[in-house]
Amino acid sequence: MKLPELKIGKLIAKVPIIQGGMAIRLSTARLAAAVANEGGIGLIAASGMPFEELRHEIRLARKLTPNGGIVGINVMVAARQFKELVAVAIEEGIDLVVAGAGFSRDMFSWGKESGTPIVPIVSSAKLAKISQTLGAAAIIVEGAEAGGHLGTNRSSREIVPEVRAAVKLPVIGAGGVLYGRDIMEMLKLGADGVQMGSRFAASVESNGSEELKKVYLRANKPEDFVLVHSPVGLPGQAIRTPFSERIMLDDAPKPKQCDVCLKKCSHKYCIIRALSRAQQGDVETGLVFSGKRMREIHDILPVKEIFANLKREVAAIPE
C-alpha cells in the first residue's frame, strides 16, 4: 500500500503525518524541520516559550526547510498568553496553528483574518462539529492512548469514525500511532492522516535531554504509565517517576512563586517548571508526559529513519 497526501486548506503534505507538538521545548525547530523535510507536518510547541524565543524557533525552522516544508505551532488554549503566542506565529507567517488543552472559539476568527489554517484537537464529534461551524481547517481527534493532557478516556479508534461521520473536514487521528499498520488502521477508520507524538519524542532531533530519552526507553511495562492530575484541570498521561508519584499522593511541592502562565491553575504544583525540568534532564523532580505505547519504543532514531521505516511498513501491507 502507499500513503496518501494530506490536504489542509491550501497546504499539501506529501506524507499524512503531523508530528505532535510536545512541550516544554521537546518540539523545537530542529524536530519540526526534520519532519517537514520528510514531507510531513512539523510542529513547534509554543507553550511556555517567550515571544522572542518563538519567533527565533519559527525563523530557524524556515532556514532548516529550504525546500518549503510545512511548519506549524502547537499551543495550549489553557496558556494565559495563548492569544499572543498565536499572534506572534501568524506574524511570522506560520503555516498552521494546532490548539489543544482547552477550546477557543476566538481563534477561528484570527485564522480567518490572516488566512492561517486553525486546527483544534478535540475528543468528541460534538466539538468537531462546532469547530467546523466556526471555521476549522481540519480536526485532530485525540484519544486516551495519547500522552499529555487528555480530554477523554475513550480510544481514538472509537472516536475517529464518529467524527468522520459528523464533519466534512480533514480528520487526523491521534493517540497510539507508532507503526505503518497504525497509520493504515486510522485511514480505514476514516481519518485523512495521523498525528504522532511518542515516536518523535524518542527521536534524535527531539530537544529532550539524554536523561529524558533514557526514561522513555526504560518505560516498558503497563504499570510504568500513570494518569496524573494537571493544574490545567485535565488529566495528563505520564511515565511513572518520583515526581509523578508525588503528584498522585498529592505531595508535589507547591511553587514558591507563580509566573501566572495559565488562565486557570490549581497551584498544586507548577506544570511548566515540572515539564521543563524533565526536558533539561532532571527526571527525579521533573514530569515526563508520554503516550501509553512508548513502552514499544526501544531505540532513539533519526526522523529520516522513522519515516523510512513507516513507509516500508505501509508498503508491506497487502492491498
Side-chain angles (χ1 to χ4, degrees), residues 11-310:
L11 303 172
I12 301 176
K14 296 294 182 187
V15 183
I17 294 173
I18 299 177
Q19 157 250 316
M22 298 163 287
I24 304 295
R25 294 185 181 84
L26 283 190
S27 309
T28 50
R30 187 170 170 234
L31 176 57
V35 171
N37 284 332
E38 292 302 314
I41 298 176
L43 298 182
I44 295 166
S47 301
M49 277 189 184
F51 303 145
E52 288 313 305
E53 183 182 354
L54 178 57
R55 283 188 199 280
H56 168 77
E57 290 295 330
I58 293 171
R59 291 174 188 182
L60 178 56
R62 291 292 185 219
K63 284 181 187 170
L64 295 172
T65 51
N67 297 322
I70 303 172
V71 175
I73 63 159
N74 171 291
V75 61
M76 292 198 307
V77 176
R80 183 171 292 277
Q81 294 180 317
F82 169 70
K83 181 178 181 179
E84 291 83 356
L85 287 166
V86 172
V88 166
I90 288 173
E91 277 174 30
E92 290 296 324
I94 202 73
D95 291 321
L96 76 164
V97 172
V98 174
F103 188 78
S104 162
R105 290 173 176 267
D106 297 334
M107 64 183 176
F108 299 102
S109 62
W110 311 334
K112 202 171 184 180
E113 286 165 19
S114 62
T116 309
I118 304 293
V119 182
I121 299 175
V122 306
S123 299
S124 70
K126 181 181 178 183
L127 211 47
K129 282 177 88 168
I130 292 169
S131 300
Q132 178 174 260
T133 303
L134 292 170
I139 306 285
I140 294 175
V141 181
E142 192 171 84
E145 302 92 339
H149 291 110
L150 300 177
T152 184
N153 57 9
R154 297 176 69 209
S155 168
S156 53
R157 275 72 173 169
E158 291 177 40
I159 310 167
V160 164
E162 297 171 1
V163 172
R164 175 71 288 158
V167 301
K168 294 178 180 175
L169 299 172
V171 172
I172 294 104
V177 180
L178 282 189
Y179 305 111
R181 65 176 181 269
D182 301 320
I183 298 173
M184 298 315 293
E185 179 188 10
M186 282 292 191
L187 298 184
K188 283 179 184 172
L189 290 171
D192 299 280
V194 297
Q195 178 173 278
M196 299 174 65
S198 294
R199 180 61 273 188
F200 291 118
S203 71
V204 171
E205 291 87 349
S206 161
N207 197 39
S209 62
E210 291 306 309
E211 287 305 312
L212 176 60
K213 291 177 185 180
K214 285 176 188 173
V215 170
Y216 293 150
L217 299 185
R218 282 201 299 264
N220 51 28
K221 302 184 295 295
E223 57 267 31
D224 290 333
F225 298 83
V226 294
L227 273 181
V228 297
H229 289 292
S230 163
V232 169
L234 294 166
Q237 193 138 254
I239 291 176
R240 188 183 294 275
T241 61
F243 191 78
S244 63
E245 291 193 330
R246 289 189 71 178
I247 295 171
M248 291 188 291
L249 293 169
D250 203 19
D251 182 41
K254 289 183 169 57
K256 290 176 183 172
Q257 63 183 67
C258 180
D259 297 328
V260 198
C261 59
L262 299 173
K263 291 171 186 168
K264 292 180 182 175
C265 181
S266 69
H267 301 288
K268 294 258 183 179
Y269 61 95
C270 180
I271 190 162
I272 299 286
R273 289 182 188 167
L275 291 167
S276 291
R277 288 194 296 270
Q279 181 265 336
Q280 291 164 14
D282 180 357
V283 294
E284 291 293 310
T285 69
L287 179 61
V288 180
F289 272 163
S290 167
K292 280 183 180 177
R293 292 187 70 190
M294 182 67 85
R295 66 179 184 268
E296 297 175 46
I297 295 174
H298 308 297
D299 42 20
I300 306 298
L301 298 176
V303 165
K304 196 170 197 65
E305 193 172 333
I306 292 169
F307 270 83
N309 290 344
L310 292 169

